[in-house]
Amino acid sequence: MHLPDGIVSSPAILVGAALVSAGVVSASVTRVAKSDRAQQLAWTGTLAAFALAVQAVNVPAAPGVSAHALGASLLTLLLGPASAVLALATVVLLQALLFADGGVAALGINVLNIVVIPVAAVTLVRGLFARLPNGLRWTAILGTTLGNVVAGSALAAILVFKAGAPAAWTIGTLVGIQALAGVVEGLLTAGAVAKIRQRAPRLLAASAPGARSAASRNVWAWAAVCVGIAVIAASFASSAPDALELVLSRAHAAP
Amino acid sequence: MKRQPLLSRWVTPGARLLGGVVLALGFATARPSVWALTAAAFFLLAVIQLAAPPPRRWQGRLAVALLGSSVVLLPFALGGDMERLGQMLLRTTTATLAAVAMSLSIRGTELSGALESLRAPRAIAQMVAHTTAQLGSIASEGKRLVLARKLRGARGTSANLELMSSLLIRCAERAERRALASELRGSSATRTARALGGPGSALFLGSCLVLALGAHWMAR
């Protein structure tokens, strides 16, 4: 899921993604700064370090293809969306600056795909399932899967439209692998959240009823973020034929 | 006493970070060219000489980064457009070499200070400081818990979830104690920001800027 530098060179998509990501991250920073407590920061930092460690472990998902967990649902359910965005954006930044994992120019795209979309998906699903019994478990499974599928599709769209990757293979592989990884990560997240809730309920401040209603209220704000991203992404869409269409038209044109 | 590498003595972390980012951005957005690839390779060698990272660190990082960027090129290889693939390979390799050079020029413990000196939002610099501080603690607690689990003979998904939640709870408690202690001592999680200045920093920043602009100019 980490896009390295050099694959996408379109300034419109690089700058556009960077602006959307910077907007969401700065909104989260403002929100988190209001509740700036040392303990909260320590807990957020712990989860960010955990996400960094988890993202470093690639698990074979299919022959020749591996996948890694994003940790977005775990962090969103344990910290709330604002702190989760801050923590995950820090993780992506650290990966780019310290480990050369994911590009610096592609940082906006990576933050969008690894942070903003998955956190928005989990927050949306959480708003829908908040009142149901086992809502947290369903949120973990469905939210993670939805976030992974949408993020995989967004990355595939960028690769196809802006880098000329073959559409069928790219979309099939990215979305398929991410959906599979999302279900597995969702199940693990549901189990981990249940265990933490059982053993250290005070750490789940973001899941408290009051915080939950706040999360539900934020659903519409996150929905607006998603629509904004979609509108911006659509405006960058190329009218030129995609790689698959190009290949097909060449095949038809050949004698 | 072991002396600090030349790059750490002469160039401030803020200047190293800014220079690295300028260079990585320059090479990532330039048209693919052999000149840019050579310049990025030269810069990487210079950073390895000046920052003196352990060989295993830079070799491992370079191998992982090159492997990661070539995996993304797999769809292009399957698409069969070899000319495009060649250009992509040239540009991603150049950008990867520059990114690895940047990552080797700065250590995790210096990053939060470097971000603060570049006037990054304080919350992000603090989060970077907490995250890098917690990495070591997660590794050591993780090893301890895995060993304990092995000795108990516990296996399966339930044991893995137990381990994951124990790891998070223990690390969070340790981080809370550390944060409270440093708050009571009156110290901040981030280091004091250092100025960007100094002749060494200026030379480094200038070199990065010239190389980044040169990559664009030569590839016209």
Side-chain angles (χ1 to χ4, degrees), chain A residues 108-200:
Chain A
I109 296 175
N110 286 332
V111 169
L112 207 58
N113 284 328
I114 296 169
V115 182
V116 179
I117 292 174
V119 170
V122 174
T123 310
L124 279 169
V125 174
R126 191 182 190 188
L128 296 172
F129 286 80
R131 289 170 197 279
L132 294 181
N134 288 329
L136 215 55
R137 185 174 294 171
W138 284 111
T139 302
I141 298 166
L142 296 177
T144 314
T145 311
L146 178 70
N148 275 25
V149 168
V150 178
S153 310
L155 184 59
I158 290 171
L159 287 175
V160 170
F161 288 119
K162 291 294 169 188
W169 198 89
T170 309
I171 294 169
T173 309
L174 266 171
V175 177
I177 296 293
Q178 284 307 314
L180 190 69
V183 172
V184 175
E185 188 188 340
L187 286 167
L188 286 173
T189 304
V193 170
K195 290 263 181 202
I196 291 171
R197 190 183 225 180
Q198 193 185 337
R199 292 182 55 190

Side-chain angles (χ1 to χ4, degrees), chain B residues 148-156 159:
Chain B
R149 192 183 69 160
K150 262 187 193 167
L151 291 173
R152 279 204 316 272
R155 279 182 191 174

Side-chain angles (χ1 to χ4, degrees), chain A residues 222-243:
Chain A
W222 283 101
V225 169
C226 291
V227 171
I229 291 168
V231 168
I232 290 168
S235 67
F236 289 132
S238 169
S239 58
D242 67 30

Side-chain angles (χ1 to χ4, degrees), chain A residues 42-72:
Chain A
W43 176 222
T44 312
T46 304
L47 283 169
F50 186 76
L52 187 61
V54 160
Q55 288 191 14
V57 180
N58 277 24
V59 182
V65 186
S66 66
H68 63 76
L70 299 180

